[in-house]
Amino acid sequence: MELIRKWVQLIAAVVMNGSWSFPFTRTLYQGPLKVICAPGLNCYSCPAATTYCPLGSIQQLMGSLRFSLENGQYYLGLFVVGSIGILGGLFGRMICGWACPFGFIQELLHKLPTRKFGVPRVLRYAKYGFLAFFVVLLPLLLVDEFGTGHPWFCKFVCPAGTLEAGIPMLLLQPNLRNTAGLLFLNKLVIMVVFIIWSIFASRPFCRTTCPLGAFYALFKKVRLVKLHLDPAKCTNCKACHHVCPMGVKFNESPDDAECITCLACMNRACKFDAISLEIGGLPLGHGETRLPAPSTTK
């Protein structure tokens, strides 16, 4: 199952970044697919991107809200919020584990042979702050002289944007290099920190900073596709603790907001069929034959 998940992650990354004409056009894809909302974190300004980033769109919505209301335009463009809301209601953070390109990059980096460290659980709450302040409040409240806000998270924080868009566009359009000042340097430092951190810890950006992951985590209780724990079969052996890339202790918190439904606990750890995959409350299946697997330090 882990091999299947890797293939799904790879295919999702290729589909979201399927425009390979940029070496010749040296610009962004602007075709009809650009109106589709990417389920995972994938920068709109990546030269290969065929979809748009939901976080960037939400910030644009918040940033233009005051301008629209002050000019008598009493409508809200909730297509993006509705799109990722439907995805959240169906899958929750399973999207992070199966269809997020930047999550996939972090997993590949973590495979490098080094000593591994955990991520303090208290840091998991920081991503809700990034969602509230950088994605919603700052674009809505801090506006320019025209009454419009800025995409604060994209502009000042997002390491995925720096990796997928900032660096490639500087290579494709050398004239942009003169505009790369302290702001780009700040984002470059943030990107390097998360790249290095991803080598030594599992998915640190997903666990501490990603606003999209925080949004999907809000659906932890209502999502249709989730893992289920059978308390009658669970022996509290804690084997599931050692394989989870998100630091979830599944036998203690089966509805943990951090669970990305990667199925590692079900397929690689639990020997008692205490964990199953459910869709709308109906069991889909239990784990496959377990093989010894290296533990993941939390």
Side-chain angles (χ1 to χ4, degrees):
M1 184 60 71
E2 180 65 13
L3 181 61
I4 294 176
R5 188 173 73 92
K6 292 302 181 189
W7 274 106
V8 172
Q9 288 177 295
L10 178 61
I11 292 171
V14 171
V15 169
M16 293 181 210
N17 298 280
S19 177
W20 292 95
S21 60
F22 66 86
F24 309 100
T25 62
R26 296 183 177 274
T27 187
L28 306 182
Y29 168 80
Q30 296 292 340
L33 295 178
K34 207 72 170 190
V35 300
I36 298 175
C37 176
L41 188 66
N42 193 69
C43 187
Y44 176 96
S45 297
C46 173
T50 53
T51 56
Y52 62 80
C53 174
L55 287 181
S57 297
I58 293 175
Q59 291 171 85
Q60 290 180 349
L61 171 64
M62 294 295 103
S64 62
L65 186 60
R66 289 177 61 176
F67 177 82
S68 298
L69 294 178
E70 290 173 359
N71 286 273
Q73 299 176 355
Y74 302 107
Y75 61 87
L76 298 176
L78 296 179
F79 172 75
V80 177
V81 178
S83 298
I84 61 176
I86 292 174
L87 291 174
L90 290 173
F91 305 106
R93 293 203 71 182
M94 184 177 185
I95 294 169
C96 305
W98 291 75
C100 180
F102 197 63
F104 185 38
I105 291 172
Q106 291 175 83
E107 288 188 4
L108 295 178
L109 289 169
H110 191 62
K111 289 185 177 295
L112 294 176
T114 62
R115 183 181 177 184
K116 306 304 180 183
F117 299 89
V119 176
R121 287 181 65 83
V122 67
L123 295 180
R124 66 191 297 187
Y125 300 106
K127 59 181 172 288
Y128 298 99
F130 280 99
L131 174 63
F133 289 99
F134 280 85
V135 177
V136 178
L137 294 179
L138 291 181
L140 179 63
L141 300 178
L142 297 184
V143 299
D144 56 24
E145 63 272 20
F146 302 105
T148 58
H150 299 281
W152 286 79
F153 186 79
C154 297
K155 191 173 182 179
F156 294 96
V157 180
C158 188
T162 307
L163 180 64
E164 298 174 7
I167 294 175
M169 290 307 297
L170 289 178
L171 295 175
L172 290 172
Q173 299 186 13
N175 58 304
L176 294 177
R177 297 171 189 173
N178 295 328
T179 65
L182 291 177
L183 179 60
F184 179 76
L185 179 61
N186 170 73
K187 289 193 62 180
L188 187 63
V189 170
I190 292 174
M191 182 200 74
V192 171
V193 167
F194 276 110
I195 286 178
I196 296 175
W197 197 2
S198 296
I199 296 174
F200 295 97
S202 177
R203 283 179 167 257
F205 178 76
C206 305
R207 296 163 72 172
T208 67
T209 310
C210 182
L212 188 58
F215 178 86
Y216 286 139
L218 299 176
F219 296 87
K220 64 176 183 176
K221 293 286 189 181
V222 299
R223 59 186 178 134
L224 291 182
V225 181
K226 62 169 62 177
L227 290 174
H228 171 74
L229 177 70
D230 185 345
K233 294 182 178 180
C234 180
T235 64
N236 291 317
C237 66
K238 300 182 180 180
C240 54
H241 297 195
H242 305 298
V243 298
C244 180
M246 298 293 287
V248 174
K249 299 178 180 179
F250 190 77
N251 66 312
E252 299 176 6
S253 55
D255 286 322
D256 198 305
E258 296 298 285
C259 179
I260 59 173
T261 320
C262 66
L263 309 183
C265 58
M266 185 179 81
N267 288 325
R268 293 169 49 195
C270 185
K271 300 179 180 179
F272 306 99
D273 288 335
I275 303 174
S276 61
L277 182 65
E278 290 188 349
I279 300 180
L282 300 176
L284 184 63
H286 291 83
E288 57 196 30
T289 302
R290 284 93 185 165
L291 297 175
S295 64
T296 301
T297 303
K298 298 297 163 287

